[in-house]
Each structure stands twice: as C-alpha cells, then as structure tokens.
Amino acid sequence: MTYPVSPNTVLANALSHAEDVLTPQILTTVPDRIVFVVGTQINGTPHVGTSLVQSLTFATAARLRDRFGLPVEVLFSALDNAPYAVVTDHKTGHHYQRTYAHALGEQGIADQIDNLYRPLFTALSERLHVPYTVETYSQQQAAERFRRTWLRVLPRMDAARWWLAPSSGVAHLRVPCPQSGCGWAEKYAERTVVQSHSADRATVTAVCLHHGEYEVTIEPTNGGYLDLATLYRNLVKELAAAGTHGTLYVMVKGGDWVFGSQLVDNALQAVGLAARQLPARLFCPQIVTDTGAKLSKSLIREGRTPLPDGATPWMLDTRDWPSSLPEYIDGLLGMVEVVLSDPRHFFRSYSAAEIGRMMTAPHARSVPAP
C-alpha cells in the first residue's frame, strides 16, 4: 500500500497545489521578488522537524520561482536570543536569563551556525538553485529599520499588548545588562520599564542579577541590546517587513505556530496595519508523537516523555543520521516531493513513525482519497 493516504480538508479542497495558498498575495502585491523567512532557535542540534520546515521552504521557493518567474531567496533567521541559562534570584524570586548571543559571543554563534545549520542550507541551495542568507537576531535587532519600527510601535503598545500577552497585558521587553561580560536580563521583565521614548530614542530601566539597577538607551543606530519576547519580536519584524516595497516576505513556520500567528495578526492590525498588509504565511506540517503532541526533543531529553514508537535517535539530532549528508538531503527532498505532491499531504501533521518511513522510502506516492 502506498502512503501517505491523507484526508481531504476545506483548505486542501480549495487548492490544486500547496503553494497556491500564496497566490492571492503574489497577485495582489505584484512583487519584484519573494523572500521566504524561516526562523529557528539555535539552542542546540537541529531535529527532523527543523529540517522538514527548512527543506519545504527551499522547495516551495523553487516552485514559485518557476511558476511566476520571480527571483526568490531564503532568509534564515537564526534566533541567537534563545535562553542559554535561566536562574532564579532566591532573595527576590525573580527569574533571569542569559541568551546564547551573550553566552557564546559573536564568533561562537557564527561557529554554531556554520557547524549545525549552514551545511544543510548550502546543500539545499545548491540542489534547488535557491540562494539564501543568514541573519542572527542580534544583527536584526541592531538594524536601523527594526529599531525605528520598535520606536514607532511604543506609543501604540496599549492597543497591542493584550494581543501579545493575553494573560497579563505585559509584552516582555528585555534589555540585557550592558556591563562587560554580563548580559543577564529579567526573564519576565517585571521591573523592566520604558521610562521615556520619542521617535528617535527610548530610555529603559531594569535590574540586573549581579549589578542591580541600570539604564539602557535604545536609538536607531546604537544603544543597548533589544531582546523582545517571541510574539513581540514577530510583531516588530513583520511590521518592518510590511514597509519594504517590491519584496513579498513569506513567513514560514511549523504548524504549531498557527494559533500564535492569529495573535500576531491582531496585534499588527491594532498598531495600524490594514488586513491587506498582513504578511504572507506558510505553515508547514508538524511532526507529532502517538499522543498527538508535537515531537519535542527537549521533553524527551529531560525524561518527561519517552521517544515515541517508530522514532529513532537521529530524529532528535540529525547529526546521528546513519548515512551521509548527501543521502540525508536525498531523503528530505524525496519526502518533500511527496508532501508537496498534493495539498492534502501538506496541510496536515505526520507521526514520527510516518516521517521515518517517508525518509527511507521517499519514492512512495499516495492513492486518491475516497
């Protein structure tokens, strides 16, 4: 029996090809080029879910290039602001975190990207003839467009904050301690306060685990490190992209982002974007366990859940793939060809066991749904 056998859905029934979901925005914006933005927290070795999303990004870009005759590019957003260490100050009960960027430094982050991510990106780029660039979050937050966008959002945060933080209304803003070699910041930003702001400058006060109270100035081209919580960061990033003429940015994410993106879209409209200006989004299939939960390498490594039936260790650390990188790429692209062969195969989830079968027998095709 061939596989996968995928059920029909409302969305799949409306499409001939999975990438058709992006056609309305391409025809509406008439861009000069398309940039597919795919982000990953570089907080360890990549797992198969990361590889699946990244390979689907390159393959979808190639399909749209061939279909519309537009230049395409993949932008790998390497989130080096992921927590490297989290500690609790037992005197106050406040939690503090230090990011990978502050713990490893610029060269350490570059080495991590080169060792763990660039080989796959380079191989996919060469095989599918789709160029790519890498941008760390540290580089992004230091860019003038990002900072000016954040300064422009500040006066409108009352309208957006409950979308970005529905439980508390406090969208976490972290400005790591600027003391040399420090970089600790309050994880939940309880005492991090924007004291004043204008179109060109904001002053933020916070409390450091080691150095007590401090003040940071954020300006368009200099100042402290601007670390925003996930939804807050996406609001600013996507608002900045909306102001770029001639380029259609497609935000590519795993299927677990579907619900979070609804909040981001509402926050974008709360600060002034019209519905037609919302970013194009592509949600890729999610890999799940036999319980239906997302396959989580952290939960498995922490012993909080077992490796699901049908899964193998290489799925949590792709460096453990039992063969060569070229054969891993062959397996990925064969699986991607199957997933993209029918919208029913794209807009769904896959068990870890099914992913294992598809990686080792990528030539399989589905039978029509009854």
Side-chain angles (χ1 to χ4, degrees):
M1 179 176 171
T2 55
Y3 54 83
V5 179
S6 301
N8 207 354
T9 64
V10 171
L11 177 58
N13 196 46
L15 307 175
S16 297
H17 308 281
E19 64 271 19
D20 290 345
V21 75
L22 298 172
T23 299
Q25 278 150 314
I26 295 173
L27 296 180
T28 299
T29 59
V30 195
D32 298 323
R33 64 174 189 143
I34 305 174
V35 175
F36 289 76
V37 183
V38 57
T40 299
Q41 284 194 339
I42 54 171
N43 56 350
T45 56
H47 62 89
V48 67
T50 302
S51 294
L52 175 61
V53 172
Q54 292 169 347
S55 54
L56 281 169
T57 301
F58 276 91
T60 305
R63 283 176 169 239
L64 289 179
R65 174 200 61 208
D66 296 342
R67 179 171 175 179
F68 290 98
L70 291 170
V72 295
E73 179 183 321
V74 171
L75 171 60
F76 176 41
S77 182
L79 303 176
D80 58 348
N81 64 326
Y84 180 86
V86 178
V87 300
T88 302
D89 181 357
H90 296 293
K91 292 181 179 179
T92 64
H94 290 285
H95 301 284
Y96 289 85
Q97 73 174 45
R98 198 165 185 241
T99 70
Y100 270 77
H102 292 89
L104 302 185
E106 185 176 348
Q107 187 57 53
I109 292 297
D111 292 342
Q112 182 127 324
I113 293 170
D114 288 346
N115 293 332
L116 299 179
Y117 295 94
R118 197 177 291 276
L120 176 61
F121 271 79
T122 299
L124 290 171
S125 176
E126 292 174 350
R127 291 281 291 270
L128 297 173
H129 309 291
V130 174
Y132 78 96
T133 57
V134 177
E135 180 184 57
T136 65
Y137 176 77
S138 293
Q139 293 169 331
Q140 184 183 70
Q141 65 83 33
E144 182 176 356
R145 176 181 289 273
F146 187 91
R147 291 184 164 228
R148 285 196 181 279
T149 301
W150 177 72
L151 288 168
R152 195 170 75 246
V153 163
L154 281 180
R156 307 176 188 177
M157 278 302 293
D158 275 348
R161 63 190 182 95
W162 285 103
W163 293 112
L164 300 177
S167 297
S168 65
V170 179
H172 296 151
L173 159 66
R174 291 179 285 265
V175 285
C177 178
Q179 291 279 356
S180 178
C182 186
W184 287 95
E186 278 190 314
K187 182 171 179 61
Y188 300 114
E190 298 99 326
R191 296 171 293 177
T192 302
V193 179
V194 179
Q195 297 290 354
S196 63
H197 60 83
S198 67
D200 296 306
R201 180 186 179 93
T203 301
V204 185
T205 58
V207 180
C208 176
L209 173 66
H210 301 296
H211 301 103
E213 294 184 6
Y214 62 95
E215 182 178 286
V216 170
T217 299
I218 306 293
E219 296 178 334
T221 58
N222 54 52
Y225 192 100
L226 184 60
D227 184 12
L228 307 178
T230 304
L231 298 182
Y232 196 177
R233 177 185 72 238
N234 277 262
L235 168 73
V236 176
K237 176 185 74 173
E238 294 174 6
L239 189 60
T244 304
H245 298 290
T247 300
L248 175 64
Y249 286 92
V250 178
M251 306 301 168
V252 185
K253 299 182 183 296
D256 56 316
W257 255 96
V258 169
F259 310 109
S261 291
Q262 292 177 344
L263 293 174
V264 176
D265 285 345
N266 280 287
L268 286 166
Q269 292 180 83
V271 299
L273 278 195
R276 67 180 183 279
Q277 296 175 297
L278 294 177
R281 300 192 186 281
L282 184 67
F283 298 106
C284 296
Q286 187 174 344
I287 302 177
V288 299
T289 68
D290 50 355
T291 70
K294 175 184 173 181
L295 181 67
S296 169
K297 65 180 180 182
S298 58
L299 290 181
I300 294 172
R301 288 172 180 173
E302 292 168 6
R304 297 169 63 185
T305 186
L307 189 69
D309 291 341
T312 52
W314 69 263
M315 294 181 178
L316 304 182
D317 185 344
T318 56
R319 296 175 302 176
D320 292 336
W321 172 257
S323 190
S324 64
L325 176 61
E327 291 183 47
Y328 182 63
I329 302 297
D330 288 341
L332 277 176
L333 292 180
M335 177 172 60
V336 162
E337 185 180 351
V338 173
V339 171
L340 284 170
S341 67
D342 192 307
R344 294 172 299 155
H345 301 337
F346 193 95
F347 298 103
R348 54 161 288 185
S349 297
Y350 288 90
S351 69
E354 185 78 344
I355 289 295
R357 287 191 290 269
M358 293 173 71
M359 280 289 289
T360 54
H363 57 278
R365 292 293 182 271
S366 76
V367 297

